[in-house]
Amino acid sequence: MLRIHFTTEDLNRLRVAAQPDPLWEIVHSLHLLQNRQEALVFDPWRREVRAALARAGLTRTVAALIRLCPSAAYFPDFLTPGQGIADLETGVDRMLSTPVSRLADELGRLYEGGPVPPVARLLAQGDPQALLRLGDALRRYYAVAVEPYQEAIAWAAAADRQARAEAALEYGPEGLLASYRPVLTRRDDGTLEASYPVERELELRGQSLTMLCSFFCIRRPITLADPALPPVLVHPMTPEPGWLARFHAGAAGEGAAGQPVAHLIGHTRAAVLDVLDRPMTTTQLGDTLRLTLSTASRHATVLREAGLIASERRGSHVLHRRTTLGDALMNGVAFAS
């Protein structure tokens, strides 16, 4: 369990990063290549990326990166120096500027009690050539495993950002914080709690907590291991199953026309319309897109009035589904006049 000791003053200092951070996306995507978590959502991406990495001759490079960044309770903080740095080069430059004392401490912790790979020994000593090779390996991996999916990542991040903004505008800072449920829960004493692989207490001590969404982060949020570093909480925005097929279809001009639809009706309503390819209640809609119940209901009302979804009451619930017109809009079908 992760517990963040959070006061009213901390709430007023809460910061939401404007976009995902490329180095955090690299780290989380490397973790996904090491496990089978969220198989329904990410297995198609795993198969595609593994094949692309092999074609690019990066199999050994990725194996070396995985030794530095295992899917485990701990990986070195120096690999993720940013709190929403949009530019990969800026993030890599900051990582390469990590003090040697930190490199030694963090890599020592990573390999504590086990053999230290030669490359890690050189990194721990701050060897310039080893650091440059690490930066190059991260760039080459990013170009194959993350960058080709940047539009899907950006679309999901825009929907997440709009949901946070709407929650803050409608309910203030408390509403913004509440919008992170169920990933993050606030207790009566103000403490924030989240599922975590180890017991962890985080004291903010007057520092701003940065909330950072990540496309490849799954199941639970994650924070830096070193409490002395500026606090950041990276939280998942795991897409729906089938996202990769829809992304490729959209890129080919077929299937769901994600970006054009988003420009037409807004990112959040486009997201609502997208997930309603199967019936959902208002509660399920809110949980899926991490919207408050009132926000999900309001978007559903607008889409229903436009004829893009239909709603019917089933007992105590209202069930929403996409209409033929909604299907046509998402699939890019033109109607003859």
Side-chain angles (χ1 to χ4, degrees):
M1 183 70 71
L2 169 67
R3 296 178 184 85
I4 305 174
H5 299 281
F6 205 79
T7 67
T8 302
E9 290 75 18
D10 294 323
L11 180 61
N12 294 330
R13 287 189 289 263
L14 188 65
R15 174 180 175 265
V16 178
Q19 63 277 310
D21 188 296
L23 286 177
W24 278 103
E25 296 305 305
I26 286 173
V27 163
H28 286 134
S29 62
L30 282 168
H31 289 169
L32 286 177
L33 291 177
Q34 298 171 63
N35 58 48
R36 286 295 310 282
Q37 294 175 349
E38 298 291 343
L40 191 60
V41 175
F42 283 111
D43 266 2
W45 171 86
R46 287 184 177 99
R47 289 191 293 269
E48 186 170 289
V49 166
R50 284 181 180 131
L53 290 169
R55 288 195 302 271
L58 291 175
T59 302
R60 292 181 61 187
T61 298
V62 172
L65 289 175
I66 284 173
R67 286 194 291 273
L68 284 175
C69 187
S71 178
Y74 175 78
F75 63 88
D77 288 332
F78 79 86
L79 292 172
T80 51
Q83 298 174 302
I85 297 173
D87 177 54
L88 175 64
E89 288 304 317
T90 302
V92 170
D93 286 346
R94 185 175 296 183
M95 182 204 68
L96 296 180
S97 301
T98 304
V100 175
S101 58
R102 257 192 70 192
L103 292 172
D105 288 345
E106 293 181 12
L107 290 167
R109 178 176 176 181
L110 177 63
Y111 297 108
E112 188 175 17
V116 181
V119 171
R121 283 199 295 271
L122 291 173
L123 289 172
Q125 296 165 7
D127 181 82
Q129 292 305 312
L131 287 166
L132 289 174
R133 285 194 295 270
L134 173 59
D136 184 61
L138 292 170
R139 293 185 189 95
R140 294 172 69 196
Y141 172 81
Y142 180 86
V144 174
V146 180
E147 191 173 33
Y149 310 97
Q150 194 56 48
E151 285 190 18
I153 295 170
W155 190 90
D160 184 90
R161 187 165 57 252
Q162 185 168 334
R164 307 306 171 195
E166 290 176 352
L169 286 171
E170 189 166 357
Y171 300 107
E174 292 282 357
L176 171 61
L177 197 59
S179 73
Y180 290 99
R181 296 188 190 123
V183 171
L184 194 63
T185 304
R186 192 176 189 191
R187 300 303 180 192
D188 292 340
D189 64 356
T191 302
L192 303 180
E193 290 186 348
S195 173
Y196 216 65
V198 296
E199 289 294 321
R200 176 78 191 280
E201 305 284 334
L202 179 58
E203 300 276 358
L204 297 179
R205 294 187 173 89
Q207 299 182 92
S208 298
L209 176 64
T210 298
M211 306 296 291
L212 176 64
C213 64
S214 171
F215 190 80
F216 294 108
C217 178
I218 61 171
R219 296 190 178 180
R220 61 172 71 94
I222 189 167
T223 189
L224 296 168
D226 187 348
L229 294 172
V232 58
L233 190 69
V234 184
H235 62 89
M237 53 176 185
T238 308
E240 288 291 294
W243 71 268
L244 185 61
R246 290 194 295 272
F247 169 68
H248 285 319
E254 306 166 357
Q259 285 293 343
V261 172
H263 291 316
L264 180 65
I265 64 176
H267 287 288
T268 302
R269 286 174 191 154
V272 170
L273 197 58
D274 187 34
V275 300
L276 286 179
D277 56 350
R278 64 182 191 280
M280 285 188 181
T281 66
T282 306
T283 300
Q284 290 171 329
L285 192 58
D287 289 344
T288 299
L289 296 176
R290 293 186 285 280
L291 303 173
T292 63
L293 196 61
S294 61
T295 300
S297 178
R298 186 173 70 251
H299 285 304
T301 298
V302 172
L303 293 172
R304 183 172 60 251
E305 291 173 349
L308 298 174
I309 70 170
S311 306
E312 59 177 311
R313 181 164 291 280
R314 297 277 184 89
S316 60
H317 301 290
V318 175
L319 198 65
H320 309 287
R321 59 175 177 80
R322 215 159 62 194
T323 62
T324 302
L325 181 60
D327 287 339
L329 180 63
M330 294 304 292
N331 294 328
V333 176
F335 288 101
S337 57

